Amino acid sequence: MAERSISSPELNLAGQAAAKVKLANGSVHKELQHHWSPSSWTTKPIKQDVIYDDREAVTRALAKLERLPSIVTPTEIVKLKKSLHDVALGKAFLLQGGDCAELFDYCEENAITSKIKLLLQMSLVLIWGSNKPVVRIARMAGQFAKPRSSPNETVDGVEMLSFRGDNINGFDPSERTPDPSRLVSAYFHSAATLNYIRAQLASGIADLHSPLDWGLGHVQSQTIKAKYQRIVESITDSLRFMRTVGADTAGQLETVDLYTSHEGLLLEYEQSLTRRLKRPADTPSSLSASEDGKGWYNTSAHFLWIGDRTRQLDGAHVEYFRGLENPIGIKVGPSMKDSELVQLLDIVNPSKEIGKVTLITRYGADKIEALLGAHIEAVKRSGHVVVWQCDPMHGNTLSTLSGIKTRHFTSILSEVSSALKIHAAHSSYLGGVHLELTGDAVTECIGGSEGLTEGDLSLNYTSYCDPRLNEKQSLELAFLVAGFYRGEDGVAA
């Protein structure tokens, strides 16, 4: 496609830059190369890019997004940063989880409610186990796009564009052409999801005065069932005691904070929702002051991360992320070199703000022992204080002989177990876990106390992307991690 100028009066300068690079895949606004702005990423090479055919549609979509209100606020973002500061110092634990890739169809009451309840229940188990507050971040309200290893795939013998998420194209073969109107749809589905989450929390879904469903009928081993039952009884007794002595009258047991997150993959979308807003009065003093008292906030989510495929030091994604006030994550895979990791931290967090960056390690159960320790020591020497988080999902994906993607619960558990022990051996702190999960009774991962086998995968495999832990497997993982902190070596069970 020939490069054409864009001068829509409805689109600001940054939006014009994004629209132009999406159409021509070229560099624009060379004067922005040395100074950060929401569009300075357009001067850098980019991975996992999406090229649209319709110039006018891209311009209209980005102009619409620029006019829409923020989905999250700086006050919420700063509150999360303070909590992650505590996680980095070992004073709290981070639980992050949700779908591999949200679908627009997941924006409905039952799907949202089941994930909220599961995250709340898991966090309660982790609070009991670690004796620390738990910070809850959902992979919800925006986790639509997924990086793919190839731009094309073969379906029923026909080669076509890969499905890259509902905010880019459709899963149906007839909808594989990237459609910029899906960017606007992603905004409204994200806003509706977060609105429902906030309404549910305000209406008491997290109220610990209400009875919790701890159904353990799925657990086949009587020994394991008895162990989980003791944990449930201990939690229940603790809550009953707090009610009896009146320790629950201040309202802390009635609601919680639940933040949203997604991979910041589609930079034109993220740019359009990046706003220069007034910093809250309680913004940490470690941040450099600005003349106008404002900062750049991505208002599409509280927390965003850079994927393992898009973390190039000179790439567009790192360039975009380095200017944000939001707390951010970086996926750390087997190919990450020690020096590269430190360089990344220096770029995105030059002031070494504590807890600003979460390092989400995703090596695989068979590689973590050889890699994590060196990364921990490299970060220590650099002076950065980060949140260390284990993603035991992405390094443990495999395909069955019939071609179904799955994960073994034992491999997931093994990577978490290794992470806990390696951090302890290096006088470090595993600050959290990052899980792909759902509150539904899917059959996508093998194993767990349900005893799911490869033959069970076809019973209820609904993911359009990667396999997720179901609600029973997710809760079981929380039980086992809690057991580790209680000195029961639960993760080795």
Side-chain angles (χ1 to χ4, degrees), residues 329-386:
I330 300 173
K331 287 291 186 85
V332 179
S335 63
M336 178 78 82
K337 295 180 175 62
D338 297 351
S339 58
E340 181 186 13
L341 178 55
V342 173
Q343 284 180 280
L344 264 175
L345 291 172
D346 289 341
I347 292 170
V348 300
N349 188 23
S351 64
K352 297 186 177 179
E353 183 183 353
I354 296 174
K356 158 82 173 182
V357 179
T358 296
L359 294 180
I360 311 165
T361 60
R362 41 144 298 169
Y363 307 111
D366 59 340
K367 296 178 181 177
I368 184 172
E369 298 279 355
L371 297 168
L372 177 56
H375 283 158
I376 291 172
E377 293 302 325
V379 173
K380 276 186 179 180
R381 291 191 299 270
S382 74
H384 287 276
V385 180
V386 303

Side-chain angles (χ1 to χ4, degrees), residues 102-139:
E102 282 181 282
L103 300 179
F104 291 163
D105 285 346
Y106 293 170
C107 185
E108 59 93 16
E109 291 186 12
N110 292 332
I112 300 170
T113 299
S114 65
K115 282 191 278 283
I116 296 174
K117 287 183 175 179
L118 177 57
L119 290 171
L120 294 175
Q121 205 163 9
M122 291 175 70
S123 67
L124 193 59
V125 173
L126 292 168
I127 290 170
W128 173 87
S130 65
N131 282 318
K132 300 177 189 292
V134 169
V135 181
R136 307 161 189 87
I137 303 180
R139 289 173 57 114

Side-chain angles (χ1 to χ4, degrees), residues 148-163 171 173 176 403:
R148 301 304 299 266
S149 56
S150 172
N152 299 309
E153 63 183 350
T154 301
V155 179
D156 296 329
V158 179
E159 185 176 2
M160 63 186 67
L161 292 173
S162 296
F163 172 61
F171 184 76
R176 292 300 176 93

Side-chain angles (χ1 to χ4, degrees), residues 10-11 59-68 184 188:
E10 298 179 341
L11 205 59
T59 303
R60 286 195 302 271
L62 297 183
K64 176 69 172 177
L65 289 171
E66 287 178 353
R67 294 195 304 272
L68 290 169
V184 178
F188 285 111

Side-chain angles (χ1 to χ4, degrees), residues 99-103 106 139 143-148 163-165 171 309 394 397 404-407 436 444 461-468:
D99 289 296
C100 166
E102 282 181 282
L103 300 179
Y106 293 170
R139 289 173 57 114
Q143 177 53 19
F144 300 114
K146 286 295 291 184
R148 301 304 299 266
F163 172 61
R164 299 183 60 181
F171 184 76
R309 292 187 176 99
H394 285 89
T397 307
I404 301 175
K405 291 172 71 174
T406 189
R407 290 158 174 157
E436 291 186 339
E444 297 170 0
Y461 196 109
T462 63
S463 175
Y464 284 10
C465 199
D466 289 341
R468 303 159 294 176

